[in-house]
Amino acid sequence: AEPWVVRHLSVKNDDKKKSLAVKARLLVVLGKDRQKKALKGLKAKELGWLAEQIEGRSEGTVMHSCNTADGPVILCVLDPKTAQYAHHDGAFSKVEWARARDAMGPVLGSLRRYQLHTVEVHHQGLSEDGKRGVVCGLEMASYRYRRVRTGQEDSFQLNFDDFDPDLVKEAAHLGQSVNVARHLVNVPAGELDPSTYAAAVKKLFQNHSEVSVSVWDDKRLQKEKMLLHYEVGKAAAAGPCLVKVSYKPKKAAKKAGKKLAVIGKGVTFD
């Protein structure tokens, strides 16, 4: 399926459920020096008290209010990169993309408190990477293992009029990729074994014309002399396998040079 963000993009002139729910506005701001300008665009007189509450707070502070005539407003302020993020001489400093991504978890948690029809997402001062972090973070925050197993998901629409559509889709797919990996980790070993994992990968890429998936079973592993893989894997009830995912872009040059292989090990029974 398409990422949650993409499936819930707001459709113009969509009045469905508007009589039963409300609209929320999310504003992500980089740097507290932009607060005044940001608040001015969202009825500063009504939300001016937020500026005082934000002072002295940490990065990614989420403030929300349901006291506006148009519904709740959530203001998320990301502090600029400062010394507090400069771990290991800056080698592991949180970049703007990561700070925006991490802030979206609490944001989505706040949005779930309301019966919403639409969430308008705005920004002030964010770079392209910061915008990607917002979208990717919302997509990642949409994942909850129990909600996936029970078929539940947030139903409100998302309006990204301030964002480039291609950027939104790119970032949403990145967040979905992370969530797929998270879900595979969370599935119990009694359900996820080599055979069900291989089936899941095949299903994941079944509609992608540029991606092919082949699976080597235990007999093929022996034929290819992959005996260590085979001997360890045969200890489980479900035999071992190798899943090969090949990506061949249509626009790639016929003589693209060296091929790139990424090898990973997955253990599903212990």
Side-chain angles (χ1 to χ4, degrees):
E2 289 283 359
W4 172 78
V5 165
V6 175
R7 285 185 286 112
H8 289 80
L9 288 177
S10 177
V11 179
K12 292 185 178 180
N13 300 321
D14 178 15
D15 293 327
K16 183 181 179 181
K17 296 182 181 179
K18 279 191 177 181
S19 60
L20 301 176
V22 295
K23 176 178 67 176
R25 287 167 291 173
L26 165 63
L27 176 61
V28 184
V29 182
L30 178 64
K32 295 180 179 179
D33 58 330
R34 296 180 180 268
Q35 288 175 22
K36 292 182 180 180
K37 182 178 179 180
L39 290 173
K40 184 178 180 181
L42 290 176
K43 299 182 179 179
K45 294 182 179 179
E46 213 172 323
L47 302 174
W49 58 274
L50 287 177
E52 297 180 4
Q53 293 195 28
I54 293 170
E55 288 299 325
R57 297 297 183 91
S58 60
E59 158 228 4
T61 299
V62 178
M63 307 300 298
H64 61 87
S65 168
C66 58
N67 297 325
T68 68
D70 297 325
V73 173
I74 296 180
L75 178 62
C76 180
V77 179
L78 306 176
D79 286 341
K81 184 177 177 180
T82 58
Q84 61 178 308
Y85 306 121
H87 306 297
H88 299 277
D89 296 324
F92 297 105
S93 299
K94 272 191 176 182
V95 296
E96 183 183 329
W97 181 89
R99 298 203 301 281
R101 176 202 61 197
D102 294 349
M104 291 304 102
V107 163
L108 194 56
S110 293
L111 291 172
R112 286 182 175 134
R113 300 175 186 176
Y114 305 97
Q115 185 184 11
L116 298 173
H117 171 268
T118 305
V119 177
E120 294 183 355
V121 186
H122 305 277
H123 66 87
Q124 282 283 353
L126 293 183
S127 66
E128 295 299 287
D129 278 346
K131 297 173 192 175
R132 288 188 181 90
V134 169
V135 179
C136 182
L138 287 171
E139 179 68 34
M140 290 174 61
S142 72
Y143 172 79
R144 291 291 185 275
Y145 177 73
R146 291 184 179 180
R147 291 166 67 91
V148 171
R149 297 305 297 259
T150 57
Q152 297 178 339
E153 68 175 12
D154 300 296
S155 59
F156 50 77
Q157 302 292 298
L158 297 163
N159 186 319
F160 289 97
D161 284 351
D162 289 353
F163 294 69
D164 178 79
D166 291 335
L167 181 149
V168 171
K169 290 185 178 181
E170 173 194 341
H173 278 91
L174 177 60
Q176 185 192 41
S177 299
V178 175
N179 287 343
V180 168
R182 294 166 71 190
H183 189 67
L184 290 173
V185 171
N186 289 335
V187 174
E191 297 181 35
L192 187 70
D193 58 37
S195 60
T196 57
Y197 172 78
V201 175
K202 282 186 174 181
K203 185 176 181 180
L204 182 64
F205 293 107
Q206 65 183 357
N207 296 322
H208 292 262
S209 60
E210 297 177 332
V211 178
S212 61
V213 179
S214 59
V215 180
W216 292 5
D217 58 14
D218 52 355
K219 293 181 180 180
R220 180 67 183 271
L221 293 176
Q222 294 180 73
K223 182 179 179 180
E224 298 292 337
K225 305 297 183 181
M226 301 179 69
L227 300 181
L228 182 58
H229 185 166
Y230 168 73
E231 291 294 337
V232 173
K234 75 176 185 178
C241 69
L242 181 144
V243 180
K244 179 183 178 183
V245 181
S246 301
Y247 172 52
K248 298 180 180 179
K250 294 180 180 179
K251 296 182 180 181
K254 293 183 179 180
K255 295 182 179 180
K258 296 181 180 179
K259 296 182 178 180
L260 176 65
V262 180
I263 302 174
K265 180 179 106 172
V267 181
T268 62
F269 68 87
D270 64 351

